[in-house]
Amino acid sequence: MSRKKLLQYIMGMENMGTIEKQKELSTIPFWNQPQIIALQKELETEAFRKDYEQACLAVITKLEKMNSEISTSLDRNIIDSMEWRIKTPESCIAKLYLKGKELSLNSAVNRLNDIAGVRVVCNFLDDMYILCRKMATDCNYEFIKQKDYVKNPKSSGYQSLHLILYVPLSNGKKIKTEIQFRTKAMDLWSDMEHHFIYKKEGIHEKDTEQALRKCAKSIYKLDKEMMNIRRKMEQE
Ligand code: 0O2
């Protein structure tokens, strides 16, 4: 199955209930393999998902505290909004498959960086970096890696700053968690692009991709201009 078809399936299933999802998946030979069905069950157990949920909530609490401290000292709010999610079993399996990794629970835990995912939407470009640096250095979280898709956007045009950390839990486990920092404009682009990939059938692909890359460049320009306006006003 092609990457695009698989992603379209996963995205199309995001809002489905369990029964509807199983019915949809059972029509695809890939999802009917016993190994896949067993892995899907393991990935949806309460015990497995609970640890990832706790890691996300711990990160959110830390970020809220940082936001209130930094916002007091800067006299403006630096976080616009935050959200978190645990990757669905179907999305975990699809990602392992697309990356050519072993299809097992161990492989999901060790190979996937974003089973636990937190998204932080900031007002300004420089605020993303302030928060990311603070999360990477001021917490008792073990640093794994940082990926700067603002300095080096993906070929799609995607921009965000990703930080991957181990979050320690009270039960002694440490959970790999990905934090995505982005501006409101980058968030809009990412949402739209996600929507267009899903709805892509019938649209001239190359033109769409080119147009999206152009929008991403405009968004970067807009973010920089907004930041410069704010900086200028702060100096007055
Ligand atoms: P979803 O549905 O958001 O969960 P890594 O092992 O960390 O080096 P990985 O995880 O492929 O490799 O990392 P990458 O490329 O940094 O992407 C991680 C996440 O960033 C993706 O997760 C998306 O959330 C987001 N992302 C990356 N590229 C794009 C893009 O071109 N467009 C949009 N809209 N989002 C992107 P998932 O699992 O792909 O998806």
Side-chain angles (χ1 to χ4, degrees):
M1 178 179 282
S2 76
R3 177 186 168 85
K4 204 200 303 164
K5 259 270 143 323
L6 194 56
L7 289 176
Q8 279 171 347
Y9 263 119
I10 301 302
M11 286 180 200
M13 288 188 319
E14 267 166 15
N15 298 319
M16 284 184 188
T18 312
I19 295 171
E20 203 183 348
K21 211 189 276 183
Q22 289 303 345
K23 212 169 132 200
E24 179 74 32
L25 288 176
S26 65
T27 63
I28 314 165
F30 172 80
W31 295 97
N32 280 323
Q33 300 171 71
Q35 181 198 9
I36 303 292
I37 295 170
L39 177 56
Q40 200 184 353
K41 286 218 164 77
E42 284 179 299
L43 288 165
E44 68 193 9
T45 59
E46 177 70 15
F48 179 78
R49 300 184 81 74
K50 194 94 202 137
D51 286 341
Y52 286 89
E53 182 182 317
Q54 295 206 335
C56 288
L57 293 176
V59 168
I60 294 272
T61 306
K62 272 267 195 266
L63 281 161
E64 276 169 351
K65 194 162 170 268
M66 275 181 189
N67 185 41
S68 109
E69 285 165 8
I70 302 171
S71 301
T72 307
S73 72
L74 293 180
D75 201 23
R76 64 186 167 82
N77 238 358
I78 66 167
I79 296 182
D80 176 70
S81 60
M82 286 195 275
E83 56 185 49
W84 63 274
R85 63 102 184 92
I86 313 294
K87 208 171 185 65
T88 63
E90 297 75 29
S91 183
C92 289
I93 293 170
K95 195 158 185 175
L96 287 173
Y97 173 75
L98 291 170
K99 283 176 169 276
K101 306 293 182 202
E102 193 188 287
L103 296 169
S104 69
L105 191 67
N106 252 344
S107 169
V109 171
N110 296 319
R111 304 289 188 174
L112 300 179
N113 291 325
D114 63 342
I115 299 181
V118 176
R119 185 166 294 155
V120 187
V121 178
C122 293
N123 289 320
F124 294 101
L125 203 51
D126 49 355
D127 292 342
M128 294 167 38
Y129 286 91
I130 295 177
L131 271 178
C132 182
R133 205 173 321 119
K134 240 180 141 35
M135 276 308 281
T137 54
D138 290 7
C139 299
N140 55 339
Y141 297 164
E142 191 183 321
F143 177 86
I144 302 176
K145 67 175 166 178
Q146 182 180 322
K147 291 191 280 184
D148 191 338
Y149 295 128
V150 180
K151 285 201 176 87
N152 304 299
K154 296 196 82 163
S155 56
S156 59
Y158 175 79
Q159 303 170 79
S160 279
L161 187 58
H162 291 190
L163 178 65
I164 300 156
L165 301 163
Y166 274 123
V167 176
L169 300 186
S170 51
N171 61 12
K173 290 185 191 162
K174 50 180 196 177
I175 300 293
K176 226 189 265 181
T177 307
E178 180 182 87
I179 314 174
Q180 298 182 345
F181 298 91
R182 54 174 72 153
T183 62
K184 280 196 246 188
M186 290 172 194
D187 197 42
L188 172 77
W189 183 96
S190 181
D191 260 9
M192 292 295 116
E193 196 253 9
H194 190 273
H195 178 75
F196 291 143
I197 283 186
Y198 175 42
K199 299 265 176 193
K200 216 172 219 162
E201 278 169 313
I203 299 174
H204 196 297
E205 222 180 279
K206 282 273 168 289
D207 287 355
T208 313
E209 285 174 4
Q210 209 173 356
L212 282 165
R213 274 194 293 272
K214 202 171 152 211
C215 288
K217 281 188 184 148
S218 308
I219 274 168
Y220 180 69
K221 212 168 147 240
L222 177 88
D223 271 332
K224 272 194 100 165
E225 280 171 17
M226 285 298 190
M227 181 180 72
N228 290 336
I229 293 171
R230 192 208 76 221
R231 284 181 170 169
K232 196 162 170 266
M233 287 180 73
E234 283 168 350
Q235 282 167 359
E236 281 165 5

